[in-house]
Structure formats: structure tokens, C-alpha cells
PDB file of all heavy atoms in Angstrom:
ATOM      1  N   ASN A  16       0.828  -1.254  -0.058  1.00 90.00           N
ATOM      2  CA  ASN A  16       0.075   0.003   0.029  1.00 90.00           C
ATOM      3  C   ASN A  16       0.871   1.244  -0.022  1.00 90.00           C
ATOM      4  O   ASN A  16       0.591   2.229   0.779  1.00 90.00           O
ATOM      5  CB  ASN A  16      -0.959  -0.054   1.137  1.00 90.00           C
ATOM      6  CG  ASN A  16      -1.920  -1.238   1.240  1.00 90.00           C
ATOM      7  OD1 ASN A  16      -2.301  -1.606   0.214  1.00 90.00           O
ATOM      8  ND2 ASN A  16      -1.976  -1.780   2.355  1.00 90.00           N
ATOM      9  N   LYS A  17       1.926   1.337  -0.784  1.00 89.00           N
ATOM     10  CA  LYS A  17       2.722   2.507  -0.927  1.00 89.00           C
ATOM     11  C   LYS A  17       1.941   3.666  -1.525  1.00 89.00           C
ATOM     12  O   LYS A  17       1.266   3.397  -2.502  1.00 89.00           O
ATOM     13  CB  LYS A  17       3.881   2.135  -1.838  1.00 89.00           C
ATOM     14  CG  LYS A  17       4.924   1.241  -1.361  1.00 89.00           C
ATOM     15  CD  LYS A  17       6.164   1.222  -2.149  1.00 89.00           C
ATOM     16  CE  LYS A  17       7.211   0.313  -1.584  1.00 89.00           C
ATOM     17  NZ  LYS A  17       8.498   0.702  -1.922  1.00 89.00           N
ATOM     18  N   PRO A  18       2.158   4.752  -1.050  1.00 92.00           N
ATOM     19  CA  PRO A  18       1.594   6.080  -1.670  1.00 92.00           C
ATOM     20  C   PRO A  18       2.398   6.293  -2.929  1.00 92.00           C
ATOM     21  O   PRO A  18       3.499   5.658  -3.221  1.00 92.00           O
ATOM     22  CB  PRO A  18       1.927   7.125  -0.582  1.00 92.00           C
ATOM     23  CG  PRO A  18       3.119   6.615   0.156  1.00 92.00           C
ATOM     24  CD  PRO A  18       2.935   5.231   0.181  1.00 92.00           C
ATOM     25  N   GLU A  19       1.857   7.136  -3.718  1.00 90.00           N
ATOM     26  CA  GLU A  19       2.574   7.442  -5.154  1.00 90.00           C
ATOM     27  C   GLU A  19       3.794   8.116  -4.913  1.00 90.00           C
ATOM     28  O   GLU A  19       4.692   8.144  -5.694  1.00 90.00           O
ATOM     29  CB  GLU A  19       1.584   8.166  -5.944  1.00 90.00           C
ATOM     30  CG  GLU A  19       0.428   7.314  -6.464  1.00 90.00           C
ATOM     31  CD  GLU A  19      -0.403   8.029  -7.513  1.00 90.00           C
ATOM     32  OE1 GLU A  19       0.027   8.946  -8.199  1.00 90.00           O
ATOM     33  OE2 GLU A  19      -1.676   7.690  -7.601  1.00 90.00           O
ATOM     34  N   ASN A  20       3.991   8.933  -3.833  1.00 95.00           N
ATOM     35  CA  ASN A  20       5.114   9.879  -3.737  1.00 95.00           C
ATOM     36  C   ASN A  20       5.462  10.264  -2.348  1.00 95.00           C
ATOM     37  O   ASN A  20       4.723   9.804  -1.418  1.00 95.00           O
ATOM     38  CB  ASN A  20       4.971  11.058  -4.628  1.00 95.00           C
ATOM     39  CG  ASN A  20       6.087  11.731  -5.107  1.00 95.00           C
ATOM     40  OD1 ASN A  20       7.286  11.491  -4.597  1.00 95.00           O
ATOM     41  ND2 ASN A  20       6.000  12.424  -6.276  1.00 95.00           N
ATOM     42  N   SER A  21       6.390  11.070  -2.065  1.00 97.00           N
ATOM     43  CA  SER A  21       6.716  11.658  -0.788  1.00 97.00           C
ATOM     44  C   SER A  21       6.726  13.168  -0.816  1.00 97.00           C
ATOM     45  O   SER A  21       6.949  13.696  -1.890  1.00 97.00           O
ATOM     46  CB  SER A  21       8.111  11.041  -0.268  1.00 97.00           C
ATOM     47  OG  SER A  21       9.076  11.673  -0.853  1.00 97.00           O
ATOM     48  N   ALA A  22       6.555  13.725   0.345  1.00 98.00           N
ATOM     49  CA  ALA A  22       6.538  15.213   0.442  1.00 98.00           C
ATOM     50  C   ALA A  22       7.982  15.732   0.055  1.00 98.00           C
ATOM     51  O   ALA A  22       7.960  16.789  -0.803  1.00 98.00           O
ATOM     52  CB  ALA A  22       6.211  15.598   1.809  1.00 98.00           C
ATOM     53  N   ILE A  23       8.967  15.147   0.509  1.00 98.00           N
ATOM     54  CA  ILE A  23      10.312  15.675   0.178  1.00 98.00           C
ATOM     55  C   ILE A  23      10.599  15.561  -1.238  1.00 98.00           C
ATOM     56  O   ILE A  23      11.090  16.503  -1.841  1.00 98.00           O
ATOM     57  CB  ILE A  23      11.448  15.070   1.074  1.00 98.00           C
ATOM     58  CG1 ILE A  23      11.213  15.333   2.543  1.00 98.00           C
ATOM     59  CG2 ILE A  23      12.807  15.477   0.618  1.00 98.00           C
ATOM     60  CD1 ILE A  23      11.354  16.714   2.966  1.00 98.00           C
ATOM     61  N   ASP A  24      10.340  14.483  -1.887  1.00 97.00           N
ATOM     62  CA  ASP A  24      10.573  14.191  -3.250  1.00 97.00           C
ATOM     63  C   ASP A  24       9.804  15.202  -4.174  1.00 97.00           C
ATOM     64  O   ASP A  24      10.224  15.781  -5.138  1.00 97.00           O
ATOM     65  CB  ASP A  24      10.269  12.827  -3.699  1.00 97.00           C
ATOM     66  CG  ASP A  24      11.325  11.803  -3.257  1.00 97.00           C
ATOM     67  OD1 ASP A  24      12.401  12.224  -2.758  1.00 97.00           O
ATOM     68  OD2 ASP A  24      10.999  10.594  -3.317  1.00 97.00           O
ATOM     69  N   MET A  25       8.468  15.312  -3.769  1.00 97.00           N
ATOM     70  CA  MET A  25       7.571  16.288  -4.660  1.00 97.00           C
ATOM     71  C   MET A  25       8.028  17.707  -4.451  1.00 97.00           C
ATOM     72  O   MET A  25       8.044  18.423  -5.475  1.00 97.00           O
ATOM     73  CB  MET A  25       6.196  16.267  -4.157  1.00 97.00           C
ATOM     74  CG  MET A  25       5.367  15.045  -4.609  1.00 97.00           C
ATOM     75  SD  MET A  25       3.553  15.007  -4.096  1.00 97.00           S
ATOM     76  CE  MET A  25       2.924  16.205  -5.298  1.00 97.00           C
ATOM     77  N   ALA A  26       8.414  18.193  -3.283  1.00 98.00           N
ATOM     78  CA  ALA A  26       8.956  19.454  -3.147  1.00 98.00           C
ATOM     79  C   ALA A  26      10.181  19.680  -3.928  1.00 98.00           C
ATOM     80  O   ALA A  26      10.371  20.711  -4.618  1.00 98.00           O
ATOM     81  CB  ALA A  26       9.205  19.743  -1.510  1.00 98.00           C
ATOM     82  N   THR A  27      11.126  18.763  -3.933  1.00 97.00           N
ATOM     83  CA  THR A  27      12.406  18.812  -4.675  1.00 97.00           C
ATOM     84  C   THR A  27      12.115  19.018  -6.148  1.00 97.00           C
ATOM     85  O   THR A  27      12.646  19.783  -6.857  1.00 97.00           O
ATOM     86  CB  THR A  27      13.352  17.711  -4.374  1.00 97.00           C
ATOM     87  OG1 THR A  27      13.612  17.625  -2.892  1.00 97.00           O
ATOM     88  CG2 THR A  27      14.584  17.722  -5.150  1.00 97.00           C
ATOM     89  N   GLU A  28      11.181  18.104  -6.625  1.00 96.00           N
ATOM     90  CA  GLU A  28      10.864  18.055  -8.128  1.00 96.00           C
ATOM     91  C   GLU A  28      10.163  19.450  -8.473  1.00 96.00           C
ATOM     92  O   GLU A  28      10.366  20.042  -9.684  1.00 96.00           O
ATOM     93  CB  GLU A  28       9.769  16.992  -8.359  1.00 96.00           C
ATOM     94  CG  GLU A  28      10.425  15.723  -8.262  1.00 96.00           C
ATOM     95  CD  GLU A  28       9.285  14.539  -8.252  1.00 96.00           C
ATOM     96  OE1 GLU A  28       8.029  14.793  -8.411  1.00 96.00           O
ATOM     97  OE2 GLU A  28       9.693  13.410  -7.823  1.00 96.00           O
ATOM     98  N   MET A  29       9.462  20.113  -7.481  1.00 97.00           N
ATOM     99  CA  MET A  29       8.751  21.339  -7.751  1.00 97.00           C
ATOM    100  C   MET A  29       9.705  22.510  -7.698  1.00 97.00           C
ATOM    101  O   MET A  29       9.412  23.733  -8.118  1.00 97.00           O
ATOM    102  CB  MET A  29       7.564  21.490  -6.883  1.00 97.00           C
ATOM    103  CG  MET A  29       6.456  20.462  -7.176  1.00 97.00           C
ATOM    104  SD  MET A  29       5.186  20.573  -5.731  1.00 97.00           S
ATOM    105  CE  MET A  29       4.630  22.116  -6.055  1.00 97.00           C
ATOM    106  N   GLY A  30      10.781  22.380  -6.853  1.00 96.00           N
ATOM    107  CA  GLY A  30      11.774  23.445  -6.591  1.00 96.00           C
ATOM    108  C   GLY A  30      11.404  24.318  -5.355  1.00 96.00           C
ATOM    109  O   GLY A  30      11.789  25.418  -5.300  1.00 96.00           O
ATOM    110  N   ILE A  31      10.630  23.727  -4.453  1.00 98.00           N
ATOM    111  CA  ILE A  31      10.239  24.365  -3.304  1.00 98.00           C
ATOM    112  C   ILE A  31      10.834  23.649  -1.966  1.00 98.00           C
ATOM    113  O   ILE A  31      11.324  22.516  -2.131  1.00 98.00           O
ATOM    114  CB  ILE A  31       8.610  24.568  -3.064  1.00 98.00           C
ATOM    115  CG1 ILE A  31       7.900  23.218  -3.003  1.00 98.00           C
ATOM    116  CG2 ILE A  31       8.190  25.392  -4.191  1.00 98.00           C
ATOM    117  CD1 ILE A  31       6.383  23.269  -2.908  1.00 98.00           C
ATOM    118  N   GLU A  32      10.689  24.288  -0.824  1.00 97.00           N
ATOM    119  CA  GLU A  32      11.101  23.608   0.387  1.00 97.00           C
ATOM    120  C   GLU A  32       9.898  23.452   1.220  1.00 97.00           C
ATOM    121  O   GLU A  32       8.934  24.382   1.189  1.00 97.00           O
ATOM    122  CB  GLU A  32      11.977  24.619   1.134  1.00 97.00           C
ATOM    123  CG  GLU A  32      13.223  24.963   0.296  1.00 97.00           C
ATOM    124  CD  GLU A  32      14.550  24.539   1.044  1.00 97.00           C
ATOM    125  OE1 GLU A  32      14.497  24.318   2.186  1.00 97.00           O
ATOM    126  OE2 GLU A  32      15.597  24.518   0.411  1.00 97.00           O
ATOM    127  N   LEU A  33       9.768  22.483   2.012  1.00 98.00           N
ATOM    128  CA  LEU A  33       8.657  22.220   2.947  1.00 98.00           C
ATOM    129  C   LEU A  33       8.840  23.306   3.925  1.00 98.00           C
ATOM    130  O   LEU A  33       9.963  23.749   4.478  1.00 98.00           O
ATOM    131  CB  LEU A  33       8.858  20.854   3.643  1.00 98.00           C
ATOM    132  CG  LEU A  33       7.994  19.724   3.223  1.00 98.00           C
ATOM    133  CD1 LEU A  33       8.277  19.309   1.858  1.00 98.00           C
ATOM    134  CD2 LEU A  33       8.013  18.618   4.191  1.00 98.00           C
ATOM    135  N   LEU A  34       7.654  23.829   4.465  1.00 98.00           N
ATOM    136  CA  LEU A  34       7.786  24.807   5.560  1.00 98.00           C
ATOM    137  C   LEU A  34       8.389  24.214   6.796  1.00 98.00           C
ATOM    138  O   LEU A  34       8.161  22.987   7.021  1.00 98.00           O
ATOM    139  CB  LEU A  34       6.280  25.373   5.880  1.00 98.00           C
ATOM    140  CG  LEU A  34       5.650  26.012   4.830  1.00 98.00           C
ATOM    141  CD1 LEU A  34       4.321  26.598   5.478  1.00 98.00           C
ATOM    142  CD2 LEU A  34       6.363  27.233   4.134  1.00 98.00           C
ATOM    143  N   THR A  35       9.023  25.069   7.542  1.00 98.00           N
ATOM    144  CA  THR A  35       9.497  24.601   8.882  1.00 98.00           C
ATOM    145  C   THR A  35       8.340  24.772   9.850  1.00 98.00           C
ATOM    146  O   THR A  35       7.327  25.459   9.386  1.00 98.00           O
ATOM    147  CB  THR A  35      10.649  25.510   9.303  1.00 98.00           C
ATOM    148  OG1 THR A  35      10.227  26.824   9.478  1.00 98.00           O
ATOM    149  CG2 THR A  35      11.950  25.421   8.360  1.00 98.00           C
ATOM    150  N   GLU A  36       8.420  24.289  11.014  1.00 98.00           N
ATOM    151  CA  GLU A  36       7.394  24.467  11.955  1.00 98.00           C
ATOM    152  C   GLU A  36       7.247  25.968  12.282  1.00 98.00           C
ATOM    153  O   GLU A  36       6.160  26.551  12.351  1.00 98.00           O
ATOM    154  CB  GLU A  36       7.621  23.821  13.300  1.00 98.00           C
ATOM    155  CG  GLU A  36       6.585  23.936  14.240  1.00 98.00           C
ATOM    156  CD  GLU A  36       6.922  23.234  15.594  1.00 98.00           C
ATOM    157  OE1 GLU A  36       7.926  22.467  15.722  1.00 98.00           O
ATOM    158  OE2 GLU A  36       6.115  23.384  16.563  1.00 98.00           O
ATOM    159  N   GLU A  37       8.374  26.778  12.311  1.00 97.00           N
ATOM    160  CA  GLU A  37       8.334  28.141  12.561  1.00 97.00           C
ATOM    161  C   GLU A  37       7.672  28.889  11.474  1.00 97.00           C
ATOM    162  O   GLU A  37       6.680  29.749  11.648  1.00 97.00           O
ATOM    163  CB  GLU A  37       9.747  28.675  12.841  1.00 97.00           C
ATOM    164  CG  GLU A  37       9.803  30.190  13.076  1.00 97.00           C
ATOM    165  CD  GLU A  37      11.263  30.709  13.173  1.00 97.00           C
ATOM    166  OE1 GLU A  37      12.153  29.823  13.324  1.00 97.00           O
ATOM    167  OE2 GLU A  37      11.338  31.872  13.302  1.00 97.00           O
ATOM    168  N   GLN A  38       7.958  28.570  10.249  1.00 98.00           N
ATOM    169  CA  GLN A  38       7.365  29.140   9.073  1.00 98.00           C
ATOM    170  C   GLN A  38       5.770  28.823   8.981  1.00 98.00           C
ATOM    171  O   GLN A  38       4.941  29.684   8.680  1.00 98.00           O
ATOM    172  CB  GLN A  38       7.917  28.747   7.705  1.00 98.00           C
ATOM    173  CG  GLN A  38       9.275  29.232   7.418  1.00 98.00           C
ATOM    174  CD  GLN A  38       9.940  28.551   6.358  1.00 98.00           C
ATOM    175  OE1 GLN A  38       9.799  27.247   6.168  1.00 98.00           O
ATOM    176  NE2 GLN A  38      10.629  29.277   5.497  1.00 98.00           N
ATOM    177  N   TYR A  39       5.429  27.622   9.435  1.00 98.00           N
ATOM    178  CA  TYR A  39       4.060  27.280   9.505  1.00 98.00           C
ATOM    179  C   TYR A  39       3.346  28.170  10.381  1.00 98.00           C
ATOM    180  O   TYR A  39       2.260  28.632  10.210  1.00 98.00           O
ATOM    181  CB  TYR A  39       3.963  25.858   9.766  1.00 98.00           C
ATOM    182  CG  TYR A  39       2.495  25.272   9.672  1.00 98.00           C
ATOM    183  CD1 TYR A  39       2.098  24.650   8.488  1.00 98.00           C
ATOM    184  CD2 TYR A  39       1.584  25.291  10.794  1.00 98.00           C
ATOM    185  CE1 TYR A  39       0.750  24.244   8.401  1.00 98.00           C
ATOM    186  CE2 TYR A  39       0.366  24.907  10.661  1.00 98.00           C
ATOM    187  CZ  TYR A  39      -0.102  24.357   9.573  1.00 98.00           C
ATOM    188  OH  TYR A  39      -1.406  23.878   9.478  1.00 98.00           O
ATOM    189  N   ARG A  40       3.941  28.328  11.513  1.00 98.00           N
ATOM    190  CA  ARG A  40       3.224  29.113  12.693  1.00 98.00           C
ATOM    191  C   ARG A  40       3.217  30.653  12.058  1.00 98.00           C
ATOM    192  O   ARG A  40       2.049  31.286  12.501  1.00 98.00           O
ATOM    193  CB  ARG A  40       3.994  28.993  13.884  1.00 98.00           C
ATOM    194  CG  ARG A  40       3.805  27.671  14.591  1.00 98.00           C
ATOM    195  CD  ARG A  40       4.644  27.583  15.874  1.00 98.00           C
ATOM    196  NE  ARG A  40       4.495  26.231  16.469  1.00 98.00           N
ATOM    197  CZ  ARG A  40       3.452  25.869  17.110  1.00 98.00           C
ATOM    198  NH1 ARG A  40       2.402  26.724  17.377  1.00 98.00           N
ATOM    199  NH2 ARG A  40       3.292  24.579  17.589  1.00 98.00           N
ATOM    200  N   GLU A  41       4.083  31.107  11.489  1.00 97.00           N
ATOM    201  CA  GLU A  41       4.039  32.428  10.924  1.00 97.00           C
ATOM    202  C   GLU A  41       2.883  32.558   9.844  1.00 97.00           C
ATOM    203  O   GLU A  41       2.205  33.578   9.820  1.00 97.00           O
ATOM    204  CB  GLU A  41       5.352  32.910  10.292  1.00 97.00           C
ATOM    205  CG  GLU A  41       6.450  33.181  11.399  1.00 97.00           C
ATOM    206  CD  GLU A  41       6.084  34.295  12.285  1.00 97.00           C
ATOM    207  OE1 GLU A  41       5.577  35.358  11.776  1.00 97.00           O
ATOM    208  OE2 GLU A  41       6.293  34.061  13.501  1.00 97.00           O
ATOM    209  N   LEU A  42       2.862  31.598   8.992  1.00 98.00           N
ATOM    210  CA  LEU A  42       1.810  31.509   8.004  1.00 98.00           C
ATOM    211  C   LEU A  42       0.436  31.681   8.675  1.00 98.00           C
ATOM    212  O   LEU A  42      -0.511  32.429   8.282  1.00 98.00           O
ATOM    213  CB  LEU A  42       1.895  30.272   7.168  1.00 98.00           C
ATOM    214  CG  LEU A  42       0.672  30.243   6.098  1.00 98.00           C
ATOM    215  CD1 LEU A  42       0.844  31.324   5.029  1.00 98.00           C
ATOM    216  CD2 LEU A  42       0.810  28.680   5.383  1.00 98.00           C
ATOM    217  N   GLN A  43       0.244  30.860   9.749  1.00 97.00           N
ATOM    218  CA  GLN A  43      -1.117  30.810  10.454  1.00 97.00           C
ATOM    219  C   GLN A  43      -1.459  32.240  11.028  1.00 97.00           C
ATOM    220  O   GLN A  43      -2.636  32.511  11.173  1.00 97.00           O
ATOM    221  CB  GLN A  43      -1.052  29.851  11.682  1.00 97.00           C
ATOM    222  CG  GLN A  43      -1.045  28.502  11.210  1.00 97.00           C
ATOM    223  CD  GLN A  43      -2.434  27.991  10.483  1.00 97.00           C
ATOM    224  OE1 GLN A  43      -3.346  28.730  10.506  1.00 97.00           O
ATOM    225  NE2 GLN A  43      -2.271  26.723  10.051  1.00 97.00           N
ATOM    226  N   LYS A  44      -0.541  33.202  11.159  1.00 96.00           N
ATOM    227  CA  LYS A  44      -0.867  34.583  11.566  1.00 96.00           C
ATOM    228  C   LYS A  44      -1.494  35.406  10.500  1.00 96.00           C
ATOM    229  O   LYS A  44      -2.108  36.422  10.710  1.00 96.00           O
ATOM    230  CB  LYS A  44       0.410  35.223  12.081  1.00 96.00           C
ATOM    231  CG  LYS A  44       1.117  34.648  13.447  1.00 96.00           C
ATOM    232  CD  LYS A  44       2.298  35.310  13.676  1.00 96.00           C
ATOM    233  CE  LYS A  44       2.970  34.626  14.875  1.00 96.00           C
ATOM    234  NZ  LYS A  44       4.329  35.319  15.291  1.00 96.00           N
ATOM    235  N   LEU A  45      -1.391  34.834   9.221  1.00 96.00           N
ATOM    236  CA  LEU A  45      -2.054  35.532   8.182  1.00 96.00           C
ATOM    237  C   LEU A  45      -3.380  35.104   7.665  1.00 96.00           C
ATOM    238  O   LEU A  45      -4.034  35.709   6.823  1.00 96.00           O
ATOM    239  CB  LEU A  45      -0.967  35.359   6.912  1.00 96.00           C
ATOM    240  CG  LEU A  45       0.439  35.969   7.075  1.00 96.00           C
ATOM    241  CD1 LEU A  45       1.238  35.614   5.918  1.00 96.00           C
ATOM    242  CD2 LEU A  45       0.387  37.485   7.522  1.00 96.00           C
ATOM    243  N   GLY A  46      -3.813  34.060   8.339  1.00 95.00           N
ATOM    244  CA  GLY A  46      -5.190  33.492   8.035  1.00 95.00           C
ATOM    245  C   GLY A  46      -5.544  32.310   8.749  1.00 95.00           C
ATOM    246  O   GLY A  46      -4.686  31.812   9.597  1.00 95.00           O
ATOM    247  N   ASN A  47      -6.488  31.633   8.350  1.00 94.00           N
ATOM    248  CA  ASN A  47      -6.910  30.306   8.857  1.00 94.00           C
ATOM    249  C   ASN A  47      -6.602  29.227   7.760  1.00 94.00           C
ATOM    250  O   ASN A  47      -7.234  29.102   6.777  1.00 94.00           O
ATOM    251  CB  ASN A  47      -8.480  30.266   9.103  1.00 94.00           C
ATOM    252  CG  ASN A  47      -8.737  31.301  10.206  1.00 94.00           C
ATOM    253  OD1 ASN A  47      -8.116  31.295  11.258  1.00 94.00           O
ATOM    254  ND2 ASN A  47      -9.843  32.101   9.953  1.00 94.00           N
ATOM    255  N   PHE A  48      -5.691  28.457   8.162  1.00 98.00           N
ATOM    256  CA  PHE A  48      -5.105  27.311   7.229  1.00 98.00           C
ATOM    257  C   PHE A  48      -5.162  26.006   7.893  1.00 98.00           C
ATOM    258  O   PHE A  48      -4.870  25.978   9.173  1.00 98.00           O
ATOM    259  CB  PHE A  48      -3.652  27.760   6.774  1.00 98.00           C
ATOM    260  CG  PHE A  48      -3.557  29.028   6.120  1.00 98.00           C
ATOM    261  CD1 PHE A  48      -2.917  30.157   6.747  1.00 98.00           C
ATOM    262  CD2 PHE A  48      -3.988  29.260   4.895  1.00 98.00           C
ATOM    263  CE1 PHE A  48      -2.911  31.347   6.225  1.00 98.00           C
ATOM    264  CE2 PHE A  48      -3.863  30.414   4.271  1.00 98.00           C
ATOM    265  CZ  PHE A  48      -3.259  31.581   4.940  1.00 98.00           C
ATOM    266  N   ASP A  49      -5.510  24.989   7.189  1.00 98.00           N
ATOM    267  CA  ASP A  49      -5.481  23.638   7.773  1.00 98.00           C
ATOM    268  C   ASP A  49      -6.415  23.428   8.915  1.00 98.00           C
ATOM    269  O   ASP A  49      -6.152  22.778   9.937  1.00 98.00           O
ATOM    270  CB  ASP A  49      -4.102  23.009   8.134  1.00 98.00           C
ATOM    271  CG  ASP A  49      -3.257  22.860   6.894  1.00 98.00           C
ATOM    272  OD1 ASP A  49      -3.740  22.575   5.777  1.00 98.00           O
ATOM    273  OD2 ASP A  49      -1.892  22.825   7.087  1.00 98.00           O
ATOM    274  N   LEU A  50      -7.695  24.045   8.727  1.00 98.00           N
ATOM    275  CA  LEU A  50      -8.667  23.741   9.792  1.00 98.00           C
ATOM    276  C   LEU A  50      -9.374  22.338   9.666  1.00 98.00           C
ATOM    277  O   LEU A  50      -9.908  21.808  10.651  1.00 98.00           O
ATOM    278  CB  LEU A  50      -9.789  24.818   9.711  1.00 98.00           C
ATOM    279  CG  LEU A  50      -9.341  26.258   9.853  1.00 98.00           C
ATOM    280  CD1 LEU A  50     -10.573  27.230   9.697  1.00 98.00           C
ATOM    281  CD2 LEU A  50      -8.609  26.416  11.106  1.00 98.00           C
ATOM    282  N   LYS A  51      -9.124  21.667   8.549  1.00 98.00           N
ATOM    283  CA  LYS A  51      -9.674  20.334   8.411  1.00 98.00           C
ATOM    284  C   LYS A  51      -8.584  19.222   7.923  1.00 98.00           C
ATOM    285  O   LYS A  51      -8.853  18.151   7.826  1.00 98.00           O
ATOM    286  CB  LYS A  51     -10.759  20.257   7.331  1.00 98.00           C
ATOM    287  CG  LYS A  51     -11.982  21.099   7.554  1.00 98.00           C
ATOM    288  CD  LYS A  51     -12.967  21.189   6.461  1.00 98.00           C
ATOM    289  CE  LYS A  51     -14.159  22.094   6.750  1.00 98.00           C
ATOM    290  NZ  LYS A  51     -15.010  22.292   5.720  1.00 98.00           N
ATOM    291  N   THR A  52      -7.450  19.795   7.481  1.00 98.00           N
ATOM    292  CA  THR A  52      -6.378  18.918   6.972  1.00 98.00           C
ATOM    293  C   THR A  52      -5.090  19.186   7.849  1.00 98.00           C
ATOM    294  O   THR A  52      -5.190  19.989   8.767  1.00 98.00           O
ATOM    295  CB  THR A  52      -6.008  19.367   5.534  1.00 98.00           C
ATOM    296  OG1 THR A  52      -5.692  20.678   5.391  1.00 98.00           O
ATOM    297  CG2 THR A  52      -7.208  18.993   4.597  1.00 98.00           C
ATOM    298  N   SER A  53      -4.004  18.538   7.464  1.00 98.00           N
ATOM    299  CA  SER A  53      -2.744  18.817   8.021  1.00 98.00           C
ATOM    300  C   SER A  53      -1.648  18.737   7.074  1.00 98.00           C
ATOM    301  O   SER A  53      -1.809  18.383   5.917  1.00 98.00           O
ATOM    302  CB  SER A  53      -2.440  17.715   9.218  1.00 98.00           C
ATOM    303  OG  SER A  53      -2.385  16.398   8.520  1.00 98.00           O
ATOM    304  N   SER A  54      -0.505  19.374   7.447  1.00 98.00           N
ATOM    305  CA  SER A  54       0.628  19.416   6.437  1.00 98.00           C
ATOM    306  C   SER A  54       1.975  19.066   7.160  1.00 98.00           C
ATOM    307  O   SER A  54       2.225  19.517   8.229  1.00 98.00           O
ATOM    308  CB  SER A  54       0.740  20.910   6.079  1.00 98.00           C
ATOM    309  OG  SER A  54      -0.309  21.358   5.389  1.00 98.00           O
ATOM    310  N   TRP A  55       2.700  18.071   6.347  1.00 98.00           N
ATOM    311  CA  TRP A  55       3.951  17.737   6.799  1.00 98.00           C
ATOM    312  C   TRP A  55       4.932  19.031   6.924  1.00 98.00           C
ATOM    313  O   TRP A  55       4.682  19.955   6.001  1.00 98.00           O
ATOM    314  CB  TRP A  55       4.651  16.760   5.798  1.00 98.00           C
ATOM    315  CG  TRP A  55       4.117  15.415   5.767  1.00 98.00           C
ATOM    316  CD1 TRP A  55       3.491  14.757   4.613  1.00 98.00           C
ATOM    317  CD2 TRP A  55       4.206  14.319   6.700  1.00 98.00           C
ATOM    318  NE1 TRP A  55       3.243  13.618   4.849  1.00 98.00           N
ATOM    319  CE2 TRP A  55       3.546  13.239   6.196  1.00 98.00           C
ATOM    320  CE3 TRP A  55       4.777  14.225   7.996  1.00 98.00           C
ATOM    321  CZ2 TRP A  55       3.577  12.015   6.782  1.00 98.00           C
ATOM    322  CZ3 TRP A  55       4.686  13.067   8.614  1.00 98.00           C
ATOM    323  CH2 TRP A  55       4.054  11.968   8.101  1.00 98.00           C
ATOM    324  N   VAL A  56       5.768  19.127   7.767  1.00 98.00           N
ATOM    325  CA  VAL A  56       6.733  20.271   7.913  1.00 98.00           C
ATOM    326  C   VAL A  56       8.147  19.678   8.095  1.00 98.00           C
ATOM    327  O   VAL A  56       8.234  18.253   8.310  1.00 98.00           O
ATOM    328  CB  VAL A  56       6.452  21.223   9.126  1.00 98.00           C
ATOM    329  CG1 VAL A  56       5.102  21.923   8.842  1.00 98.00           C
ATOM    330  CG2 VAL A  56       6.434  20.425  10.418  1.00 98.00           C
TER     331      VAL A  56
END
């Protein structure tokens, strides 16, 4: 039951970096995010 991909691999392919926990907390100061979902950091 392997997933199709991983967060780190996808981010690398896209040219982005996963948010750090600190960046995630800063983002939350700008709005309401992930009220029903969650995000790897």
C-alpha cells in the first residue's frame, strides 16, 4: 500500500522547500489554514 510519492521528493521536483514548523506558525498569523487537513513540515 505504498503512496505514489513523498513530500520531500515532490517538493524537490517542484523546486520548493517544505515549511519549517516556525514558518508554518508564521503563516497561520496571516489567515486560517488547515482547519480540516494537516501538512507535513
